[in-house]
Amino acid sequence: MGGDRFLWNVVVLLLENHIVKGTQRSEEQETKAHGQIHPDIEFILSLCHQFSPSIQVTTCRKLLKYLRGLPEDKEDGRPQRRMTRSKKKGSRLNPEDQLFILANHTSKQLRHFKFLLTSFVASLLSREVFIAQVVESEDNQALQPLYQSLLEENLLFVTSVAHSVESNAQKGTVRFWRALLHKAYDILEKVNYLLPNNIFITVVTGLMQNELATVRRKAMDLLNTKLQQQGNALAAEEESMLLSLVDQLLSVVIATKQSEYDAEELAVNRQTALFSLKLLCKLLGPDHPHAFKKVFHVSTQVFSSTSSSTVVTASALLCLAELCTSLKAHAIPHLPHFMPGLLSVLQNDKKLLSNDLLLLSSVTTVHKVVESLPYFMSPYLLDIIQKITALSAMEEMETNQKSPLQLRLKAVRQNLSTTMSPRVLLPAVTKCYENVCEKNRNCIGPLMHILRDHLTSISKEDLTSHHHQILNFFLTALDFRVTQNHLSLADIDQVEIHVIQAMVSLVMRLSEAMFRPMFFKLFDWASRNEAPKDRLLTFYRLTDCIAEKLKGLFTLFAGHIVKNAATLLDDNNTMKTDDSFFPADPNAEEKSVLLLQFILDCLHKCFLYDNEGFVNKERFDTLMQPLADQIENLQGNEEAYEERMTSHVIPCIGQFAVAAGDDGSWKPLNYQVLLKTRHSSAKVRFAALKTIEEFNNKLGEDYMTLLPETIPFLAELMEDESFEVERQCQEVISQMEKVLGEPLQKYF
């Protein structure tokens, strides 16, 4: 009778009979019967396998077409008046309508039939018997148009079911439609895996010429899935067939909308085609660079166009990124064409910042371009650095979490700092600093990160040859406090620390022979008579950070600043001078407090890491009185005084005593501190007591030699008019008893 014409009719009739007279299981039960095939279904599958693969594929296509022609649902869930299949005289009933007569079945049976028929097609295509028949078939070429027809019909069926899912989203049957859609995609997957690469590519090529845009898009989706899963090397013939798709995909990308109705669907198709080109380039680009030259032009045209949607623009950018990564040197001739457009996208803040996908895609593209072609970026480097630093500053302010954008920006900065030559990068960094210093100072932080990483990674030879250029830049950048003195001290501190950290990274790469003259030059830059006094703040803050990094090595150079530090301690001591160190400055007092903190912290680190006898007699005599007098220095408000004493003055004096190392130095220092216990201010007496306690903690049993001269002063404080001072005195005595191991009450 002709299996190709009537086998599908038999399948429909047998499945309908299975529903009506068989197990009567619902579609929900059917979905749960994983791996269990009913004997009726097994019989139908076996029947189909008696025919050739071409007839079975044709049968599957006709079954899907029949399914697509069935109505979505019945208006009434109850069976209507039964009709027989016998064709009565004068009736015009379509033969297909007599296979599954809607009037004789409920809506539930209709749904069950649809699901059962879809599952049957999926099972047939995945059966080992059928696959073996395909493999053994001598005429696989004849199957090619049949596979294409099956895929076309399947794609139409998927689209139809997807529409039903949307239209039934608020109804109780939505679970059924979702399950059916899943089965429809299952068929698509089965056919996809069934095809050898060469036949698959031919089928996809045919599908892409289909009149329906939906089918063309699904064909590209199938291609993308196959390309992403492609693990083995392709044959030369397969590569050639895939390369022939490039022009077809480009025609989809450059298509323009015909009507408003098509706009959204057209955008999705263009996006899918760009993704296909990206995958093809990744797979074939390294071996066939010339085949993708047109893609450069089209991608640039798409993302440079103001009429392109943001999704399409983002896809074009990512396609360009893959082109640069895969083609590398072959992308160089195209740089002048696509870089201006890419920079234009980056500089369109209004569009860029309102769309996260476009922003991430743009930064990703910059990353890939810089990574692939670092030696050809010099004409565009300044614009790239300015935009990347601006985005980095913005992202850091908005979120503390490590977002994908933050990670990508960090990768770009890392590429810029490690792949660029100092000859190219340093002038760009200098120019960028000049541009952002006034307009967008938040960019200075990320900019200094780039410079810091660059200084860490460059060779010794490059560092030596560019040393003076780098130092001149830092002398300019370290002057930020002077040139931007209209800003608040908090804002200045925030920017300055980034410059200092970059400077410290330079210091860590220098030899002693290079560091010594540089340090002396910095000292002269800050301390000479005509220099702005604000530079001293920056210098001692920088010196404090350098001392922390170099530790004991820094004491080899620190002797140069001792006298200046002692002088500045006295010049900013309110008990020694009535003149402000920063005259006519509205923030004079606050600046003096900061300067004292930086100097004390710097000296504390010199004393802490002193292993080479840094505190000799001369330096001890120079520093002793200025340091001891800081206890009575009331510079700043009460809160600032207490914080300075606790965190800066007392630790510094305590470590100074340790570094001095002998009782010949301890006695005069201890006596000068004891004199402060007779000061008229209770908070000064309290601070002096805390300093004595620090001596006791630092010197331990060695403090016993200083006890005779200390006891009379403590005796006076035991009867102090201030309750806090008296209580602190008792705590100090108690602490001494624990350290020395004997009671002191007998001395009072």
Side-chain angles (χ1 to χ4, degrees):
M1 293 179 64
D4 58 333
R5 293 181 58 194
F6 299 111
L7 179 58
W8 73 274
N9 299 59
V10 175
V11 172
V12 171
L13 290 171
L14 289 173
L15 288 176
E16 186 233 15
N17 183 66
H18 171 70
I19 289 173
V20 176
K21 298 177 181 178
T23 60
Q24 298 291 334
R25 289 186 300 179
S26 66
E27 67 271 13
E28 288 84 1
Q29 292 172 318
E30 196 77 49
T31 60
K32 294 176 184 176
H34 295 300
Q36 299 177 8
I37 300 180
H38 192 275
D40 291 353
I41 309 298
E42 186 68 50
F43 168 74
I44 303 170
L45 288 168
S46 300
L47 175 64
C48 291
H49 294 325
Q50 302 305 311
F51 296 87
S52 67
S54 60
I55 291 178
Q56 293 181 68
V57 172
T58 303
T59 299
C60 290
R61 179 184 64 79
K62 291 184 176 181
L63 288 173
L64 291 175
K65 184 177 181 181
Y66 178 71
L67 269 173
R68 195 161 54 86
L70 289 173
E72 189 176 283
D73 204 352
K74 291 182 62 175
E75 293 183 4
D76 186 3
R78 298 186 302 274
Q80 298 173 7
R81 183 171 59 85
R82 291 188 62 83
M83 295 179 63
T84 62
R85 288 194 177 91
S86 57
K87 188 173 180 181
K88 295 183 180 179
K89 187 177 181 181
S91 69
R92 295 186 178 180
L93 199 61
N94 188 323
E96 292 185 6
D97 293 337
Q98 299 185 60
L99 296 175
F100 186 89
I101 302 174
L102 290 173
N104 296 344
H105 299 88
T106 64
S107 295
K108 188 174 183 180
Q109 287 174 329
L110 174 62
R111 292 195 299 273
H112 190 187
F113 175 74
K114 287 181 177 180
F115 188 84
L116 188 61
L117 195 51
T118 309
S119 301
F120 175 83
V121 173
S123 297
L124 178 62
L125 293 173
S126 60
R127 296 269 286 187
E128 291 182 6
V129 178
F130 172 71
I131 295 171
Q133 289 175 333
V134 171
V135 172
E136 294 169 3
S137 175
E138 296 179 357
D139 194 13
N140 277 326
Q141 201 65 30
L143 286 172
Q144 182 179 309
L146 299 178
Y147 284 137
Q148 181 173 331
S149 300
L150 176 58
L151 276 174
E152 285 180 357
E153 195 58 56
N154 192 191
L155 292 173
L156 293 172
F157 179 59
V158 166
T159 305
S160 172
V161 177
H163 286 313
S164 296
V165 171
E166 291 178 11
S167 61
N168 290 274
Q170 304 302 321
K171 298 180 182 178
T173 56
V174 67
R175 286 180 59 196
F176 159 74
W177 289 110
R178 285 175 182 163
L180 190 63
L181 183 61
H182 179 74
K183 277 293 177 187
Y185 276 117
D186 193 28
I187 295 173
L188 203 60
E189 189 176 310
K190 296 289 194 299
V191 179
N192 197 356
Y193 283 126
L194 198 60
L195 303 181
N197 281 342
N198 57 342
I199 297 180
F200 172 81
I201 297 168
T202 305
V203 169
V204 167
T205 304
L207 289 174
M208 285 182 61
Q209 295 169 357
N210 193 285
E211 294 179 0
L212 293 174
T214 306
V215 173
R216 293 198 298 272
R217 184 173 73 250
K218 293 292 183 183
M220 290 186 286
D221 285 335
L222 284 174
L223 175 65
N224 295 344
T225 303
K226 195 80 168 181
L227 291 175
Q228 286 175 298
Q229 295 170 347
Q230 184 62 41
N232 302 325
L234 294 168
E237 179 191 358
E238 293 169 353
E239 288 187 355
S240 176
M241 294 171 73
L242 282 173
L243 289 171
S244 67
L245 291 174
V246 171
D247 287 336
Q248 286 192 54
L249 291 167
L250 286 174
S251 66
V252 177
V253 173
I254 61 178
T256 55
K257 63 181 180 180
Q258 303 298 321
S259 66
E260 289 299 319
Y261 179 78
D262 297 326
E264 185 177 347
E265 189 171 339
L266 179 69
V268 175
N269 276 16
R270 296 177 74 193
Q271 179 190 2
T272 310
L274 284 163
F275 184 55
S276 300
L277 288 167
K278 176 179 178 291
L279 294 174
L280 282 173
C281 182
K282 184 176 183 180
L283 186 65
L284 305 174
D287 297 326
H288 305 276
H290 298 291
F292 292 91
K293 286 186 176 181
K294 294 179 186 175
V295 185
F296 272 110
H297 173 69
V298 172
S299 297
T300 305
Q301 184 181 346
V302 170
F303 71 70
S304 301
S305 172
T306 55
S307 61
S308 297
S309 68
T310 52
V311 174
V312 174
T313 302
S315 298
L317 287 167
L318 293 175
C319 183
L320 175 66
E322 188 58 54
L323 286 166
C324 292
T325 302
S326 299
L327 305 190
K328 298 193 182 302
H330 293 281
I332 295 170
H334 303 279
L335 270 174
H337 301 105
F338 70 75
M339 278 306 293
L342 176 57
L343 293 173
S344 177
V345 172
L346 278 172
Q347 288 161 1
N348 188 349
D349 287 342
K350 185 177 180 181
K351 186 176 181 181
L352 199 65
L353 300 178
S354 62
N355 190 289
D356 292 341
L357 175 63
L358 182 59
L359 178 57
L360 183 58
S361 300
S362 303
V363 175
T364 301
T365 305
V366 172
H367 175 213
K368 294 299 182 182
V369 173
V370 172
E371 186 179 51
S372 306
L373 306 167
Y375 304 117
F376 301 91
M377 289 291 103
S378 53
Y380 320 104
L381 190 57
L382 178 59
D383 290 329
I384 290 174
I385 290 177
Q386 287 188 170
K387 195 59 196 179
I388 292 300
T389 53
L391 290 172
S392 299
M394 191 180 309
E395 186 68 9
E396 287 172 7
M397 285 191 296
E398 289 180 1
T399 176
N400 294 322
Q401 298 178 342
K402 295 294 182 184
S403 66
L405 179 59
Q406 264 191 339
L407 295 174
R408 188 63 71 177
L409 286 167
K410 182 179 178 182
V412 179
R413 296 197 303 268
Q414 188 70 23
N415 276 124
L416 289 170
S417 60
T418 55
T419 59
M420 296 293 166
S421 163
R423 173 183 56 81
V424 176
L425 186 65
L426 291 175
V429 169
T430 303
K431 184 64 178 175
C432 182
Y433 177 82
E434 293 171 0
N435 293 344
V436 303
C437 203
E438 293 285 348
K439 300 174 185 176
N440 191 2
R441 62 180 180 276
N442 292 325
C443 296
I444 295 177
L447 181 64
M448 291 300 112
H449 274 92
I450 293 173
L451 180 58
R452 186 174 67 188
D453 292 342
H454 182 66
L455 294 173
T456 305
S457 63
I458 60 175
S459 65
K460 287 279 187 183
E461 293 75 16
D462 283 338
L463 189 63
T464 303
S465 59
H466 293 88
H467 178 64
H468 292 294
Q469 182 183 1
I470 296 169
L471 179 57
N472 289 334
F473 167 75
F474 275 120
L475 289 175
T476 302
L478 288 169
D479 235 2
F480 184 84
R481 189 179 288 275
V482 175
T483 58
Q484 306 296 318
N485 57 7
H486 59 279
L487 300 174
S488 69
L489 290 179
D491 288 341
I492 292 173
D493 287 347
Q494 189 177 7
V495 172
E496 188 179 71
I497 192 61
H498 293 299
V499 180
I500 287 174
Q501 287 170 348
M503 182 77 182
V504 170
S505 71
L506 169 65
V507 170
M508 298 304 290
R509 295 293 311 278
L510 299 179
S511 63
E512 180 184 344
M514 293 177 70
F515 174 68
R516 188 181 293 276
M518 186 192 79
F519 183 69
F520 292 166
K521 185 173 182 177
L522 283 169
F523 178 70
D524 179 65
W525 166 82
S527 61
R528 58 175 177 255
N529 291 333
E530 68 274 13
K533 291 185 176 180
D534 279 16
R535 285 182 179 175
L536 290 165
L537 284 162
T538 303
F539 173 76
Y540 277 101
R541 190 181 188 188
L542 170 63
T543 307
D544 177 42
C545 293
I546 293 174
E548 177 62 39
K549 283 289 185 180
L550 294 182
K551 299 189 181 334
L553 290 174
F554 184 67
T555 57
L556 299 173
F557 317 100
H560 198 69
I561 66 172
V562 168
K563 290 183 180 178
N564 181 261
T567 302
L568 291 174
L569 289 174
D570 285 342
D571 289 347
N572 287 274
N573 191 333
T574 56
M575 299 301 292
K576 293 191 173 184
T577 178
D578 294 329
D579 298 330
S580 171
F581 186 72
F582 298 93
D585 193 316
N587 298 313
E589 190 175 59
E590 197 174 347
K591 286 184 177 180
S592 288
V593 170
L594 275 177
L595 181 57
L596 289 170
Q597 289 178 4
F598 295 149
I599 294 172
L600 290 165
D601 288 348
C602 178
L603 291 174
H604 177 250
K605 289 178 178 64
C606 292
F607 304 149
L608 181 64
Y609 301 122
D610 177 18
N611 298 317
E612 304 293 333
F614 169 70
V615 183
N616 55 28
K617 188 175 188 315
E618 180 187 354
R619 290 170 184 159
F620 180 85
D621 292 341
T622 302
L623 290 170
M624 184 193 71
Q625 199 62 49
L627 283 174
D629 289 345
Q630 284 304 306
I631 297 173
E632 59 184 6
N633 183 5
L634 301 178
Q635 187 77 253
N637 56 32
E638 187 171 339
E639 184 181 346
Y641 173 81
E642 291 177 2
E643 199 276 332
R644 185 167 70 253
M645 289 300 114
T646 304
S647 303
H648 307 281
V649 175
I650 294 173
C652 183
I653 295 176
Q655 198 61 45
F656 182 51
V658 174
D662 65 273
D663 57 359
S665 300
W666 295 338
K667 284 185 177 181
L669 176 61
N670 186 55
Y671 184 70
Q672 289 301 319
V673 173
L674 289 171
L675 289 177
K676 309 305 177 189
T677 63
R678 293 174 176 171
H679 196 277
S680 58
S681 170
K683 60 184 179 183
V684 173
R685 298 196 299 274
F686 185 88
L689 271 172
K690 294 293 287 184
T691 308
I692 293 168
E693 183 181 23
E694 183 74 5
F695 281 162
N696 180 58
N697 291 335
K698 290 287 186 181
L699 301 179
E701 293 182 359
D702 291 337
Y703 192 74
M704 184 71 78
T705 58
L706 306 176
L707 204 56
E709 66 184 30
T710 305
I711 293 297
F713 289 92
L714 294 178
E716 293 177 17
L717 294 172
M718 288 287 285
E719 300 176 359
D720 195 271
E721 60 186 24
S722 168
F723 173 73
E724 287 78 9
V725 173
E726 184 181 338
R727 184 175 62 184
Q728 180 61 31
C729 183
Q730 292 171 349
E731 289 181 8
V732 170
I733 293 171
S734 175
Q735 189 67 27
M736 284 182 172
E737 289 176 340
K738 289 180 183 178
V739 173
L740 300 175
E742 62 175 276
L744 300 181
Q745 292 298 329
K746 59 186 178 183
Y747 297 109
F748 293 95

